[in-house]
Amino acid sequence: MLIFPDWPAAAHVKAASTTRLGGVSQPPYQGLNLGLHVGDEAELVGKNRTLLQQQLGLMEQPAWLNQIHSTRVIELQSPLSSVSDADGSYTQVAGLGCVVMTADCLPLLLCDKEGTQVAAVHAGWRGLADGIIEAALAKFTVPADSIMAWLGPAISPEVFEVGGEVREQFIAGSPQAEHAFKPHGDKWLADLYILARQRLQAYGVTQIYGGQYCTFSDPELFYSYRRDGVTGRQASLIWLVDH
């Protein structure tokens, strides 16, 4: 089962977010695990990636990354010959799939209104605080108000508990981030969706969609690192097709 963004993207922009349904991985990775770095059998992950590629009609495998909670966004001009250390990718080339993997962190997909540029971003709290969204937006060669964003499945604010140092880091960068945190005992509940929207809006992006899922609370549909520890990864992808 795939989730397709509900947004007014141009017809030649294609995007999807996977769930754990389908695939050949065995427990505790049961389903369509796409992460090679989580302890699953590489052969099974490879089969899952091939299944996804076929289902989406991609000529090439998407540009799988070694995600390191950085602010590095690479530009794809041809299929990757090796795996890059990065947490986002951007392209203007049709047929090259930008992809990020998540299991509670926020996947963010971006495109311009004309459908000439796309990007995929892995936005955990560290990347969000350090500026991964801004790094991805800076790749676009169009005004910010002609970029649209879709917030994919992430851990929801009802269950994402963080320490006070995380809250302080965000507020130090932007005082309005205070509105994304609620007290929870001696901890705080953080809203990744609000934090991402604030960053997007501050940059000038006004068309923001998605943000209604919770990976932690839906074990049938999603992998969740916070919930299970040892678990798989879902993916969010975006690419251009010729028009």
Side-chain angles (χ1 to χ4, degrees):
M1 176 186 160
L2 298 173
I3 294 167
F4 297 102
D6 180 15
W7 63 350
H12 39 278
V13 173
K14 303 299 179 184
S17 196
T18 69
T19 64
R20 70 185 300 168
L21 300 180
V24 296
S25 288
Q26 300 301 304
Y29 313 100
Q30 186 170 346
L32 190 72
N33 169 42
L34 299 163
L36 275 170
H37 63 295
V38 295
D40 195 2
E41 292 181 39
E43 182 183 353
L44 298 181
V45 177
K47 287 181 179 178
N48 288 339
R49 289 184 173 187
T50 299
L51 284 170
L52 178 63
Q53 180 187 351
Q54 292 169 344
Q55 189 172 4
L56 296 176
L58 285 166
M59 296 297 290
E60 306 269 356
Q61 273 287 325
W64 301 102
L65 304 172
N66 179 37
Q67 297 169 191
I68 53 174
H69 293 278
S70 68
T71 58
R72 183 163 187 250
V73 179
I74 61 171
E75 181 170 355
L76 305 176
Q77 296 176 320
S78 60
L80 289 182
S81 56
S82 60
V83 178
S84 292
D85 288 347
D87 286 273
S89 58
Y90 159 94
T91 193
Q92 299 183 32
V93 180
L96 298 182
C98 299
V99 60
V100 290
M101 291 178 287
T102 55
D104 284 334
C105 291
L106 173 65
L108 176 72
L109 301 180
L110 301 165
C111 69
D112 68 317
K113 289 179 185 175
E114 299 301 316
T116 63
Q117 306 171 55
V118 295
V121 181
H122 164 236
W125 75 260
R126 289 181 190 84
L128 268 174
D130 291 342
I132 183 71
I133 287 178
E134 292 84 350
L137 291 169
K139 296 283 186 183
F140 283 77
T141 60
V142 296
D145 63 1
S146 64
I147 300 172
M148 66 182 74
W150 183 73
L151 310 178
I155 189 168
S156 73
E158 287 77 26
V159 287
F160 185 38
E161 187 179 80
V162 299
E165 73 285 352
V166 174
R167 175 177 175 269
E168 288 162 15
Q169 192 171 334
F170 276 102
I171 293 173
S174 171
Q176 68 169 348
E178 180 182 359
H179 302 297
F181 295 88
K182 291 181 179 176
H184 187 66
D186 61 348
K187 302 278 189 178
W188 297 84
L189 293 174
D191 192 326
L192 288 175
Y193 291 130
I194 286 181
L195 291 166
R197 286 191 181 97
Q198 288 177 345
R199 296 279 177 143
L200 289 162
Q201 290 165 347
Y203 199 91
V205 177
T206 56
Q207 293 193 68
I208 306 170
Y209 304 90
Q212 69 268 48
Y213 293 97
C214 177
T215 47
F216 185 98
S217 305
D218 197 340
E220 288 187 19
L221 213 53
F222 299 115
Y223 297 111
S224 168
Y225 180 77
R226 276 282 180 118
R227 184 187 64 230
D228 298 327
V230 177
T231 192
R233 297 292 185 271
Q234 47 259 350
S236 296
L237 312 92
I238 189 165
W239 69 100
L240 297 165
V241 294
D242 289 317
H243 62 286

